[in-house]
Amino acid sequence: MVGPPVARTYYSAFSTPAPARPALTGSQDCDVCVVGGGIAGTATALHLAERGFDVILLEARQIGWGASGRSGAQVLPGVAASQDQLEQLIGAPDARKVWDICVEGMRLVQELIERYGIDAQYVAGHMLTAIKPAQDMQLRAYIAQLQHRYGYEGVRYMPQEEVRSILASTRYRGALYDSNAGHLHPLNYTLGLAAAAERAGVRIFEGTRAVDFNGRSPVRVRTAGGGKVCCRQLVLCGNVYLGPTAPALQSRIMAVGTCIVATESLGATRAQQLITNNAAVADMNWVLDYFRRTADHRLLFGGGVSYAGFDPDRIAARTRHRMTLVFPQLQDVKVEFAWGGYVDLTRNRTPDFGRLNPDVYYLQGFSGHGIALAGMAGKLVSEAIAGQAARFDVFARIPHGVFPGGPALRRPALVLAMLYYRIKDLL
């Protein structure tokens, strides 16, 4: 798959300086090769190095170039599917294990930021908002489930009057507030993980696309520039950008384009009035809106689905329209940054972790819940490679189907599916 062009995002304009890393030339040996320099890949490399493994990381572009460095950056519990759906797929005991691991993933984000001094601008608090009465009922039931069946503390219901005292919008009927969740600067977080991994001994090569690999140990990874890596284990963390590098994984995820804008700086007072508690916010629609304040008093607003590329002018116009439906008072505000990127969805919206064989692992299908879970996935796969696979295998037991139709029909099928969900959201 051809990815979106190098985007001038808000994050890239205000990110921690990162060193230019060389491309791989010649042949290199290591214990584990990691393909993909997003959160999953950098966290995998870091956790493996901390366990004493000799690790090489290959990134086709630059560290944080893909979804990890350009997302809405909301640090969330759980997976994109509901816990009820997850219980139907793997049973209640394993669904509870998945939930607890995801909660641990949120704590891990903060631990890594503190341990390695990463300038991730982390802010606690998240609101999941209901627009329609039916969503409000679902929200109340979900809160009860989390509190009583999952023992999850820090989550509570916000009635409409409280929501309106926090958000300067009349769009929402109620909200779930989660004090354990939050938001951050995703590119700084990813760059910080990479820097920590390098200090632990990881060799990182940028501008180095892995084009194929053989089956079993020793695994030989061949790169587009003619380089080779020989390793005992391989971990694939490229998600939708792996493409033909791992054909067996392509049909298990769908690349869905989404768009984000960042306004000009609103000033502290005006920005605080929009979201008084500085939480990240997302609604319950299938084609959802999500937004938050930035450290320099902008509103970052994302949502919608893109089928026609990532032209900044088109993104700005479409996403600005969605933003002013939520905040009509921002009609006079300039959009300063507009960009897009791909979310990797699985058919059931649960993460797809597993093995192509005993020596080749993969992490993909985060379905919009990757900030906390991707870092935790890196910890799980490092445990598995070290011989403690029980937690990784909980996720590997989640069943996954392929998207039908082949490459020629998958995109039209996605357009029809999204049209269906847009209509469902409206109704």
Side-chain angles (χ1 to χ4, degrees):
M1 152 170 279
V2 176
V6 176
R8 182 177 182 265
T9 72
Y10 165 74
Y11 303 124
S12 63
F14 300 99
S15 64
T16 303
R21 300 176 173 95
L24 176 69
T25 58
S27 297
Q28 299 268 355
D29 296 331
C30 64
D31 296 327
V32 185
C33 179
V34 178
V35 173
I39 293 173
T42 55
T44 296
L46 173 60
H47 289 300
L48 285 167
E50 288 179 332
R51 288 176 173 271
F53 289 91
D54 180 23
V55 182
I56 287 175
L57 187 152
L58 306 179
E59 164 53 42
R61 302 278 189 135
Q62 299 87 36
I63 295 296
W65 177 87
S68 294
R70 62 176 81 192
S71 74
Q74 301 196 358
V75 182
L76 304 173
V79 300
S82 71
Q83 286 302 117
D84 288 336
Q85 291 173 283
L86 199 55
E87 288 181 5
Q88 291 172 9
L89 290 169
I90 56 175
D94 276 354
R96 174 62 187 267
K97 290 177 184 176
V98 167
W99 175 264
D100 289 343
I101 289 169
C102 291
V103 172
E104 181 184 338
M106 292 194 299
R107 294 195 298 267
L108 179 64
V109 169
Q110 297 179 64
E111 290 170 9
L112 292 173
I113 290 170
E114 183 175 352
R115 186 187 312 165
Y116 296 110
I118 300 172
D119 181 23
Q121 301 168 17
Y122 181 85
V123 177
H126 183 268
M127 295 170 65
L128 179 63
T129 56
I131 297 172
K132 298 174 288 190
Q135 291 177 341
D136 195 57
M137 292 176 63
Q138 293 169 14
L139 204 60
R140 294 170 187 262
Y142 181 47
I143 291 169
Q145 178 188 41
L146 294 183
Q147 290 176 335
H148 303 309
R149 289 180 52 196
Y150 284 79
Y152 184 59
E153 299 179 356
V155 63
R156 66 180 181 87
Y157 179 74
M158 283 184 172
Q160 186 177 61
E161 56 271 20
E162 184 178 4
V163 173
R164 291 188 177 181
S165 73
I166 293 169
L167 302 180
S169 176
T170 60
R171 187 170 174 81
Y172 307 112
R173 305 181 67 92
L176 175 158
Y177 178 74
D178 188 343
S179 61
N180 299 311
H183 58 92
L184 48 67
H185 189 301
L187 182 54
N188 275 0
Y189 179 56
T190 310
L191 293 172
L193 293 177
E198 284 182 312
R199 291 195 295 271
V202 175
R203 289 169 280 166
I204 298 178
F205 297 96
E206 295 182 323
T208 303
R209 180 171 182 80
V211 293
D212 58 30
F213 56 91
N214 68 332
R216 293 294 305 275
S217 182
V219 182
R220 290 177 176 83
V221 183
R222 188 170 62 91
T223 73
K228 294 180 182 178
V229 176
C230 182
C231 55
R232 288 190 291 148
Q233 277 97 20
L234 171 64
V235 186
L236 301 172
C237 304
N239 287 286
V240 298
Y241 299 113
L242 276 178
T245 305
L249 300 179
Q250 271 188 293
S251 62
R252 297 166 67 96
I253 54 176
M254 175 76 79
V256 178
T258 187
C259 303
I260 308 178
V261 300
T263 68
E264 62 187 327
S265 180
L266 305 175
T269 300
R270 191 174 186 186
Q272 289 166 6
Q273 289 171 347
L274 294 177
I275 311 171
T276 62
N277 64 355
N278 203 14
V281 184
D283 68 40
M284 295 178 66
N285 281 345
W286 210 94
V287 184
L288 78 162
D289 294 326
Y290 49 92
F291 52 91
R292 63 184 184 87
R293 286 164 37 192
T294 66
D296 58 349
H297 313 304
R298 304 167 190 265
L299 182 71
L300 189 148
F301 193 100
V305 177
S306 173
Y307 312 109
F310 298 104
D311 174 69
D313 291 337
R314 181 178 296 176
I315 290 171
R318 290 175 52 195
T319 311
R320 179 188 176 84
H321 173 70
R322 296 178 73 98
M323 179 181 73
T324 55
L325 290 177
V326 177
F327 296 113
Q329 63 271 43
L330 297 184
Q331 291 283 355
D332 65 321
V333 168
K334 177 184 175 183
V335 167
E336 194 164 313
F337 298 91
W339 69 96
Y342 291 115
V343 176
D344 58 327
L345 296 183
T346 59
R347 286 189 66 180
N348 57 21
R349 297 198 301 157
T350 64
D352 183 14
F353 305 165
R355 303 170 182 83
L356 293 179
N357 66 52
D359 300 315
V360 179
Y361 295 76
Y362 66 87
L363 304 171
Q364 66 175 18
F366 295 96
S367 301
H369 271 238
I371 295 292
L373 184 54
M376 191 64 203
K379 184 176 182 178
L380 297 182
V381 76
S382 73
E383 292 173 357
I385 289 173
Q388 302 160 342
R391 300 207 300 170
F392 180 85
D393 286 341
V394 173
F395 284 83
R397 286 195 290 271
I398 301 174
H400 288 279
V402 300
F403 285 91
L409 295 178
R410 291 175 72 195
R411 186 61 50 181
L414 171 66
V415 174
L416 290 174
M418 289 302 179
L419 177 60
Y420 165 78
Y421 284 113
R422 285 176 189 270
I423 294 171
K424 191 173 180 181
D425 286 341
L426 290 172
L427 295 178

